[in-house]
């Protein structure tokens, strides 16, 4: 008769234990209610968990003894005289192997040692243990790693890192709304909120938190006055913020000593350990009454001792279980429908594993992929910018900046839309605009007198100077050195932007349900073909631009470089200077005739008038027709002496060379800008639209013809899908079994007003 009464109750706990395991495995939203134990390493956390279980199974003491959360599914079974434990497999959660307590201890120790050697010394994956025992309550308890409070000094950096890892793990566990948080505090002053500080980051009102003051037997002797004890047992509302479960804290003591047959063991059996817990509880009540000088009220007694805490947790968890049953059934039905659809899709995919259908799927995916690429270049807002977009700072970090010879970067704020997270065509346009802005503002590098003299050299037939050749040599050298790095930087930046189109296109395909899941070999083939195309196209485009730069810096065509005297005047005026000059040369060659000099040579008078007052137009005017032939010949001799035969670099010659270099350099810059932008648009951007589709299709068809099995990996795919089908079928059966079990429990609960509590039975 007793078994029939207990059967619905035990079925309820068994169903929730199985639901908790399923939720952990599938990361499903129907997690079962459980008690999550949170405390610092010295709060007596593991000792309290063992006292609640009424048997010892883990090491207790200082330091880190738990590096993985330990989930204990405890069930009261009056027929189990010794704890019957099953350890759930990490690899297959459907398997639970029976283990002895020493074997479970050894497994936990091995896991702690393994994690201690790893870089991340803690793991959120739970160790799940199912326990049946005559002294066990019906509880699911999750024992978390102990929080660490290291001293804030430099030598404790390793411990501080561990503390952050543990706190992050515990906070993640506390975020499960179904969990009841058991917050342990080892303090005699409630204003000291070591553990509550962490708990209230998640449960700010403490509305699902039970506060427990541990090690009561060590605190009672510390109180000198009865009023201190009164405040400790019934702290004012201003001290404990929020609305804690149970309205006031619990107070527990756990007797020291281990269970075993060794000479240093205090208890020979778990029954002795249980009796010691009860005895300790009675002694704590007597000590408190002695300190207070009065008897404890019924309300105060209900908060003192492990057995009272266990009874409260069991009743609370039982109520949560029963309240959650009607809510769990719809969630299980929804999960059952979802898993059924998943199984149908797997069966459908298995039925399409023949070469003809796979070819059709491959061609369709190829066309859809090209469509998404084209959409991204034309512009779309379907892909979230916060996930796929890049600001200009991100783009420079990932794709490389535009940096000149000085190594300086232009402030990103000067570029339009620099702070916006862009992708696709918008990002391409911003990169090209930055290239135009930076390269278009480059000035000709400084020219030294040594460079001018070195560029003069000697001709193959005479040793005279040719300043027009000198200017060309300097200008093309500086232009090549200045602009070639920008060409490579532009290629790298635009290639980065194009390659980013691949993951964004995959996201769009997945969003629209057009992604070929399970065909990883084929997808890698498409990704590889796209990346290879982008790299080869960028390389070919850059080579075309390089040809233009080489041709522009190899032979100077004067028609490209401002083509008129006004431009030369501009550069001469910008050079400035106030030194007197007697001769200015526009362009001299060793074979120059007197007639050709008539438009470019002027003899200045050596007077006191500053050079700044002499207009360039006057210097450029021809020799006065009224001057005598003798004067012209004298001036021509002076010109040749100061330029053709004399290697002393005068100010006028320097000005002319500088002006010519500036003129040639700026002409090359303008041509380089226009040519580079036009070629990257025509030979990098446009091929993605008009050449890539045919190339991908051609690559696909050649692979289909050569080795179809390797493209789709049909053999491995059949095995993988078969394994997924078997796992999904097992999952479906588990959900169906749970759904039926909760349905029966719901019917039983609906027919009964109240399920009798087992706490009285298990407290004996």
């Amino acid at each position: 008769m007793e078994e029939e009464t207990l059967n619905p109750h035990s079925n309820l706990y068994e169903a929730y234990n199985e639901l908790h395991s399923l939720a952990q495995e599938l990361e499903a939203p129907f997690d079962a209610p459980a008690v999550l134990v949170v405390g610092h390493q010295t709060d007596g956390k593991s000792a309290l968990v063992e006292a609640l279980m009424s048997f010892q199974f883990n090491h207790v003491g200082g330091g880190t003894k738990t590096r993985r959360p330990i989930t204990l599914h405890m069930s009261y079974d009056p027929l189990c005289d010794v704890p019957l434990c099953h350890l759930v497999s990490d690899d297959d959660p459907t398997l639970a192997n029976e283990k002895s307590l020493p074997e479970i201890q050894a497994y936990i120790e091995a896991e702690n040692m393994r994690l201690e050697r790893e870089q991340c010394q803690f793991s959120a994956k739970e160790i799940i243990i199912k326990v049946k025992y005559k002294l066990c309550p019906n509880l699911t308890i999750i024992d978390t790693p102990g929080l660490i409070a290291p001293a804030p000094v430099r030598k404790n950096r390793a411990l501080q890192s561990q503390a952050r890892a543990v706190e992050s793990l515990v906070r993640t566990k506390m975020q499960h709304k179904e969990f009841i948080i058991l917050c342990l505090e080892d303090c005699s002053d409630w204003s000291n909120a070591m553990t509550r500080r962490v708990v209230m980051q998640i449960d700010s009102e403490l509305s699902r938190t039970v506060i427990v003051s541990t090690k009561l037997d060590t605190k009672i002797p510390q109180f000198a006055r009865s009023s201190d004890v009164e405040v400790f047992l019934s702290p004012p509302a201003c001290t404990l913020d929020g609305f804690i479960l149970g309205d006031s804290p619990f107070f527990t003591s756990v007797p020291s000593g281990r269970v075993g047959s060794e000479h240093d063991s205090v208890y020979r059996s778990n029954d002795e350990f249980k009796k010691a817990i009860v005895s300790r509880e009675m002694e704590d009540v007597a000590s408190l009454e002695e300190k207070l000088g009065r008897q404890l009220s019924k309300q105060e007694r209900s908060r003192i001792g492990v057995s009272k805490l266990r009874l409260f947790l069991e009743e609370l968890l039982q109520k949560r279980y029963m309240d959650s049953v009607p809510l769990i059934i719809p969630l299980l039905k929804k999960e059952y429908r979802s898993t059924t659809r998943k199984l149908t899709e797997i069966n459908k995919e298995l039925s399409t594993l023949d070469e003809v259908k796979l070819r059709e799927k491959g061609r369709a995916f190829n066309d859809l992929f090209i469509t998404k690429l084209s959409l991204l270049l034309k512009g779309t807002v379907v892909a979230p910018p916060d996930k796929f977009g890049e600001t200009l700072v991100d783009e420079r970090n990932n794709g490389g900046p535009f940096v000149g010879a000085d190594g300086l970067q232009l402030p990103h704020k000067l570029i339009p839309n620099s702070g916006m997270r862009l992708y696709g065509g918008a990002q391409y346009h911003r990169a090209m605009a930055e290239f135009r802005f930076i390269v278009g503002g480059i000035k000709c590098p400084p020219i030294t007198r040594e460079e001018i003299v070195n560029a003069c050299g000697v001709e193959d037939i005479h040793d005279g100077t040719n300043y027009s050749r000198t200017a060309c040599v300097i200008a093309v050298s500086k232009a090549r050195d200045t602009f070639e790095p920008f060409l490579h930087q532009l290629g790298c930046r635009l290639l980065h932007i194009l390659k980013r189109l691949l993951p964004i296109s995959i996201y769009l395909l997945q969003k629209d349900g057009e992604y070929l899941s399970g065909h990883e070999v084929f997808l890698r083939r498409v990704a590889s073909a796209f990346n290879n195309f982008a790299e080869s196209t960028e390389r070919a485009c850059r080579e075309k631009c390089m040809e233009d730069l080489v041709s522009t810096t190899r032979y100077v065509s004067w028609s490209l470089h401002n083509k008129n005297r006004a431009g030369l005047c501009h550069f001469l005026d910008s050079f400035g200077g106030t030194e007197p000059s007697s001769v200015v040369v526009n362009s001299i060659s060793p074979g120059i005739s007197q007639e050709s000099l008539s438009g470019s040579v002027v003899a200045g008078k050596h007077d006191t008038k500053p050079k700044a007052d002499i207009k360039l137009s006057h210097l450029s005017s021809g020799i006065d027709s009224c001057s005598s032939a003798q004067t012209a010949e004298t001036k021509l001799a002076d010109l040749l002496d100061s330029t053709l035969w004399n290697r002393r670099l005068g100010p006028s010659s320097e000005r002319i060379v500088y002006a010519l270099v500036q003129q040639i350099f700026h002409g090359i810059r303008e041509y380089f800008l226009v040519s580079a932008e036009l070629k990257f648009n025509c030979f990098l951007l446009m091929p993605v639209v008009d050449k890539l589709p045919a190339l991908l299709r051609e690559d696909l068809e050649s692979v289909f013809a050569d080795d179809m099995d390797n493209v789709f990996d049909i053999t491995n795919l059949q095995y993988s899908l078969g394994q997924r089908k078997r796992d999904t079928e097992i999952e479906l059966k588990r959900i169906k079994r749970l759904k039926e079990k909760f349905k029966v429990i719901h019917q039983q609960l609906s027919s009964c007003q109240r399920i009798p509590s087992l706490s009285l039975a298990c407290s004996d």
Side-chain angles (χ1 to χ4, degrees), residues 38-40 43 147 183-185 193-200:
V38 178
H40 283 76
D43 289 345
L147 297 168
C183 174
L184 307 190
E185 296 279 16
M194 290 287 291
T195 307
R196 273 176 291 149
R197 176 190 63 81
V198 179
V199 171
M200 293 182 73

Side-chain angles (χ1 to χ4, degrees), residues 62-82:
T64 302
K65 301 297 182 185
T66 307
R67 294 186 179 273
R68 283 176 61 182
I70 301 175
T71 299
L72 300 161
H73 293 306
M74 296 181 286
S75 301
Y76 167 71
D77 190 340
L79 302 179
C80 288
D81 292 328
V82 295

Side-chain angles (χ1 to χ4, degrees), residues 188 219-236 251 286-296 300:
S188 55
K219 295 182 178 61
I220 296 174
Q222 300 175 17
F223 297 113
R225 297 175 298 179
S226 60
S227 59
D228 296 336
V229 182
E230 295 280 4
V231 173
F232 181 63
L233 293 179
S234 302
F251 304 88
S287 299
L288 286 170
E289 289 180 342
E290 182 181 351
K291 283 282 185 181
L292 290 169
R294 64 173 178 82
Q295 287 190 340
L296 295 175
E300 290 171 334

Side-chain angles (χ1 to χ4, degrees), residues 576-588:
T578 57
E579 71 280 358
S581 86
S582 57
V583 180
V584 176
V585 181
N586 198 0
S587 179
I588 300 289

